[in-house]
Amino acid sequence: MRCIAQKGFTLAELLIALSILGVIATFTIPKVLQSQQNGKYNTMAKEAIATISQAYQMYIHDHSLSTNTKVSDFIPYLNYIKETSQQVDSILAWGTAHCGSPPERCLILHNGGVLHFWDSDTFGGTATTNAILFEFDPDGTKNGQPDGSGHAIMFFLYYNGKIRTYGTIDPNTTLDNGGSPPGDEPLARPRSVLV
């Protein structure tokens, strides 16, 4: 009788293959999870923009827009769960949004993110470059990081209804105090608390 040699992997070869797969998974899985989280946050930001845009449209249907229209005038038209006094992330120069410390206010939206604004801000004029500012923290928590996933995003609602992010604002954008956001934005909006 002839013995037929059976071919297969040795235990050592299998262990080496598994260890290589483990190393690959160690580097790949966190990136996949981060990508999914970023996709979720982008979707939440788009929902926040839609909520602000809808509130603007509903407001101008019921009222006349003016230079003195305040951010707080849009609150009855915003789709949110409740107001909160928790601290959340703000933009880079400010670090933390102090919700519940007038005039700062925060609303928890239905997607779990927090919309932060200064309720006393007005358009300050009727030009298409006049804007009011909203910040949106998608994870709704204060993680203290200067940037990255879960950090706040700035939205500018212009007098004519368009909405832009900080990275895509129109040239000569003017806030209610006459300041210009690009470059000197933290200086353009002196507030009682800048963290």
Side-chain angles (χ1 to χ4, degrees), residues 45-63 65 71 73-80 109-110 115 132 134 155-158 160-163:
K46 289 176 184 175
E47 290 172 359
I49 288 172
T51 298
I52 294 168
S53 179
Q54 182 180 23
Y56 174 87
Q57 293 301 324
M58 289 171 36
Y59 179 84
I60 63 170
H61 182 268
D62 294 344
H63 304 280
L65 208 57
V71 176
D73 294 335
F74 295 107
I75 292 175
Y77 301 97
L78 288 169
N79 186 14
Y80 66 96
L109 302 182
H110 288 281
L115 190 63
I132 54 178
F134 292 90
F155 299 125
F156 294 87
L157 172 62
Y158 288 86
N160 63 359
K162 68 183 167 189
I163 298 178

Side-chain angles (χ1 to χ4, degrees), residues 90-96 135 146 151 185-187 194-195:
S90 184
I91 61 164
L92 295 177
W94 299 339
T96 302
E135 292 178 279
H151 201 70
E185 212 283 331
L187 300 175
L194 294 180
V195 178

Side-chain angles (χ1 to χ4, degrees), residues 9 11-24:
F9 294 106
L11 181 59
E13 291 171 330
L14 286 173
L15 290 174
I16 290 170
L18 287 174
S19 64
I20 290 171
L21 287 174
V23 169
I24 292 171

Side-chain angles (χ1 to χ4, degrees), residues 1-8:
M1 260 196 188
R2 277 172 115 189
C3 231
I4 300 176
Q6 293 183 357
K7 296 189 177 196

Side-chain angles (χ1 to χ4, degrees), residues 10-162:
T10 66
L11 181 59
E13 291 171 330
L14 286 173
L15 290 174
I16 290 170
L18 287 174
S19 64
I20 290 171
L21 287 174
V23 169
I24 292 171
T26 300
F27 293 108
T28 306
I29 291 173
K31 290 183 187 218
V32 169
L33 294 175
Q34 185 65 43
S35 176
Q36 288 177 338
Q37 187 76 334
N38 287 343
K40 176 184 171 188
Y41 289 160
N42 285 339
T43 300
M44 291 171 72
K46 289 176 184 175
E47 290 172 359
I49 288 172
T51 298
I52 294 168
S53 179
Q54 182 180 23
Y56 174 87
Q57 293 301 324
M58 289 171 36
Y59 179 84
I60 63 170
H61 182 268
D62 294 344
H63 304 280
S64 295
L65 208 57
S66 75
T67 188
N68 295 321
T69 301
K70 293 190 236 178
V71 176
S72 59
D73 294 335
F74 295 107
I75 292 175
Y77 301 97
L78 288 169
N79 186 14
Y80 66 96
I81 296 174
K82 66 178 183 174
E83 193 161 350
T84 182
S85 60
Q86 69 193 44
Q87 289 187 350
V88 295
D89 289 320
S90 184
I91 61 164
L92 295 177
W94 299 339
T96 302
H98 300 276
C99 303
S101 300
E104 291 185 73
R105 293 176 69 184
C106 293
L107 304 175
I108 298 176
L109 302 182
H110 288 281
N111 61 15
V114 175
L115 190 63
H116 170 253
F117 54 91
W118 300 81
D119 65 357
S120 58
D121 279 358
T122 65
F123 283 107
T126 59
T128 59
T129 55
N130 286 88
I132 54 178
L133 174 69
F134 292 90
E135 292 178 279
F136 177 70
D137 184 359
D139 64 6
T141 60
K142 178 186 168 209
N143 63 22
Q145 299 299 316
D147 58 10
S149 182
H151 201 70
I153 302 162
M154 292 176 90
F155 299 125
F156 294 87
L157 172 62
Y158 288 86
Y159 188 80
N160 63 359
K162 68 183 167 189

